[in-house]
Structure formats: structure tokens, C-alpha cells
Amino acid sequence: MSASLDSGLPRPSQTTTLRQHLAELRGPGTAPRALDARALAALAANPGCRRRALLDGAGVDKAALASKLGSPAPFGQSQFAIMRGNSFEAKVKADGGRELLRLLGVEEPGAVSVPDLAAAGPQGRTARTALALRESTAAGSWTLLDHPLLALEVAGSPVYLEPDAVVVGPDGRWTVVEIKSFPMIDGAADASKVGAAARQSAVYVLALERTAAVTEGAKVAHSVLLVCPKDFSNVPTASVVDVRKQRSVTLRQLARLTRIEEIADALPEGTTFDVAGCSAAELTEAVESVPHAYAPECLAACELAFHCRARAREAGAVETLGRAVRGELGGLTTVGAVLAAARGEAGDPDDPAVAALRRARALRQEALDRVPAPAGEAPECH
């Protein structure tokens, strides 16, 4: 099946060679690991990391890779959390989505269309979703799309995304529905979890906009419906979350990503990330051939974070102290260089970062000099 603008996919001629190259990097016979909206949001939060962009684009299993490298990460949801989430989602969508439609204010759920989105392969499902969106918009009636499949081109490679649901209103407005199992107590949920859900939903909004751009009368809502359990019960409740800020940030960050083919073309000849067929030493060499951009935030978002942190610490990179610290230090890229500059052993005195470090060291020394010696200890001789 050929891709079309409606599906949001690039033309086959643009991706055939790249897919072959990425398959070689992944290893023979290894199925690609799907890149979901959560991973894409994390990738957009760190667009300077070529390592993650390439591995995600190639569909490499980063968890298996990290284990083979000797740096496994306790990353991902527990089985209990997954089962609880699936159970709650099933309750929300039961009986033709009656509970979900009630939260949307639909008085007659029986009048809502729920099209069948089944098709062969991700491209088939994406095309079927695009067709259902067009037909629903043209019909001008309420439509519930259960687990539609969307496509978004990221750094030159197609990514398939599956929101929990998309609702098409009579006015042609498409609304993303995100169902989460964390509670909404007294009308409010944990801010960090809501933020993560908003960033994830913003990716779905961007993918929907690709199809809406070529669908007459369609418009994508920049507010998503977040459905959670009410208080400590299993009763669904909902909140409208504005994702305009997250959408803008994600769009800008994704645009900054280096195209995957450029990263792949810069690799040494014969580089592969075949976890099953390569030794730990070979995989280490392959991984180190791709630059990374480690930051402490990676520990909560990337399976390779512990490996990258270990390498950053070995190199004495200031990135291990956080992005804010890295930004303040300017051209001082290692902890050794920072300490030397603070002691006056290196660095340009006219550099604001160097001047600030020396001033901070002087203030620290001044404060230490004012601390009285503990009782019973003789003062140091000078």
C-alpha cells in the first residue's frame, strides 16, 4: 500500500534505503521496537542526543542493549500498574464507550459511531484511521475512534502512534482522549503525572494535525480530555488539559533533531547494534561511536541512562551536574577544568564563568575562616 499525505507518512522512495540501513544496524531478523508517544516525548526533551535518536529510529531494544552492556536500568511500568491501567481503560470504554461519552457531555451514546479500524500492518491501520477521520468529519456526527493509529515523521523516519481514543465532534473538531490510572483527588491529580500525560498527548495532537491539514472541515483541539479514577474509587472522571505549550515545545524540539540518515551515514563501516549477535565489547564500541547528550533527567526517561552516566562521569563531564549548571559554565566542559579555574590555576580571568567560580571559592574560604574551632581543639598554626 502506498503512503499518502492523508496518512502523514513520507513517500516510499524516501524511506526504502533508510529502512534497509536501519535494519542492518538493528541486526538480521530482529523486529524493530515500536517508538511510542511517551518515548517520542522523552526524545523531544533531549533533541541533542544523537545516540537515542538513532537507536529509537532503528527500533533497537535499548533495555536489552543496556543489559548486555552491563548497565541495566530499572525502567518502565510494573506489571501491576499495566494491569490496573488496562482494567480501568476497559471500564471507561465498556458498553460502546458510554462512560467516556458521558464525560464528553454526549446525551445519547447510542447515536455515536464507533468505526472498525482493523487493517493489515501499521501502514494499513494508519490509512484506515485517516479514512475514518475523513468520513466522520464529513458526516458531521459524534464518532469515537478506539485506539486509532497515527503516523508522524521524526528526523526523516516514520513513527506510528496509538492514542487511547480520538473523538470527532459534529463541528469537525478532533479531540485526543488520554486514559490514565492515577487518581484525580478532589478534582486535581499529581502535577508531574499530568505534565507527563500532557507531553505525551501533545505528540498525538501533532500527528493528528498532519491528517487534519488535508481534511476539509477538520480542526484539532489543542485541549485533550484526561480521564482518571475519581478519588480512591474506580469511577471515571475527566479534566480538560490545555497542551498548547507542550505542543509548541515538542514541535520545536523535534525540528531540531538531526535527521537519522545523517547520523547513520556518519557511523564507521560495519557498525551494528545486534544485541543477539554481538559481544558486550562489540556493542560498547558501536554505542560509543554515536555521540550522546546525557543529563540527569535521562534517568527517568531512557534505558541507556546508566551507561551514558557512567561514561560521562569517567570523562568528568559537567553534564552530570545538570543542564542548568552546564549552561552556566560556558566553555568549561569538565569538572577538572572547573576546579582548576576556581583555584586560579587555569581559565581566562575575563570569562564571566571563571570570575564567578573564583568569587564563589573566595566566599567559601572566607566563611570557613570564620567558623570557630571545635572545643578542645587547638587552632591551626599559620
Side-chain angles (χ1 to χ4, degrees), residues 93-113:
K93 294 180 178 178
D95 194 16
R98 181 176 294 273
E99 282 290 334
L100 175 57
L101 296 169
R102 177 184 62 80
L103 295 172
L104 285 165
V106 181
E107 300 297 336
E108 295 294 335
V112 177
S113 173

Side-chain angles (χ1 to χ4, degrees), residues 7-23:
S7 66
L9 291 171
R11 300 291 181 180
S13 59
Q14 299 174 329
T15 58
T16 301
T17 303
L18 176 60
R19 286 200 190 101
Q20 292 174 347
H21 195 173
L22 295 180

Side-chain angles (χ1 to χ4, degrees), residues 360-379:
R361 183 174 187 273
L363 290 173
R364 176 180 180 276
Q365 189 60 48
E366 181 180 339
L368 292 175
D369 291 342
R370 292 179 179 177
V371 176
E377 287 190 14

Side-chain angles (χ1 to χ4, degrees), residues 78-324:
S78 67
Q79 283 299 117
F80 174 75
I82 293 174
M83 291 175 60
R84 182 180 59 187
N86 291 340
S87 173
F88 179 68
E89 181 177 340
K91 176 179 176 59
V92 172
K93 294 180 178 178
D95 194 16
R98 181 176 294 273
E99 282 290 334
L100 175 57
L101 296 169
R102 177 184 62 80
L103 295 172
L104 285 165
V106 181
E107 300 297 336
E108 295 294 335
V112 177
S113 173
V114 184
D116 181 10
L117 302 179
Q123 289 189 351
R125 287 187 59 199
T126 302
R128 181 68 187 89
T129 295
L131 178 61
L133 286 167
R134 287 197 302 270
E135 292 176 343
S136 303
T137 303
S141 59
W142 286 102
T143 303
L144 171 64
L145 276 66
D146 185 7
H147 281 288
L149 195 66
L150 311 173
L152 185 66
E153 186 177 339
V154 178
S157 181
V159 175
Y160 297 100
L161 307 166
E162 188 175 357
D164 293 327
V166 172
V167 175
V168 180
D171 59 351
R173 185 179 298 274
W174 302 352
T175 302
V176 172
V177 177
E178 188 67 11
I179 303 173
K180 297 295 185 183
S181 59
F182 56 79
M184 194 175 293
I185 301 173
D186 292 334
D190 182 271
S192 63
K193 294 180 179 179
V194 172
R199 290 189 292 273
Q200 183 176 339
S201 299
V203 176
Y204 298 138
V205 169
L206 287 174
L208 276 175
E209 288 176 348
R210 292 289 303 274
T211 305
V214 291
T215 303
E216 184 178 355
K219 48 186 177 291
V220 181
H222 287 170
S223 294
V224 303
L225 188 72
L226 177 63
V227 181
C228 300
K230 182 178 181 181
D231 298 326
F232 298 101
S233 70
N234 204 35
V235 176
T237 187
S239 176
V240 176
V241 180
D242 189 334
V243 298
R244 285 177 295 181
K245 178 180 178 181
Q246 290 84 355
R247 174 199 168 277
S248 297
V249 171
T250 302
L251 180 63
R252 183 171 65 252
Q253 297 292 64
L254 290 178
R256 290 179 54 200
L257 283 171
T258 304
R259 295 183 69 85
I260 293 174
E261 58 263 39
E262 295 179 18
I263 305 174
D265 290 343
L267 295 174
E269 187 71 25
T271 298
T272 179
F273 304 98
D274 184 4
V275 177
C278 294
S279 66
E282 291 170 331
L283 288 173
T284 298
E285 183 179 356
V287 168
E288 294 307 313
S289 68
V290 190
H292 69 92
Y294 171 77
E297 293 85 353
C298 296
L299 294 173
C302 182
E303 295 90 336
L304 278 177
F306 284 86
H307 174 82
C308 296
R309 183 180 67 174
R311 292 297 184 270
R313 284 177 171 176
E314 289 174 6
V318 296
E319 284 81 0
T320 58
L321 304 177
R323 290 195 180 101

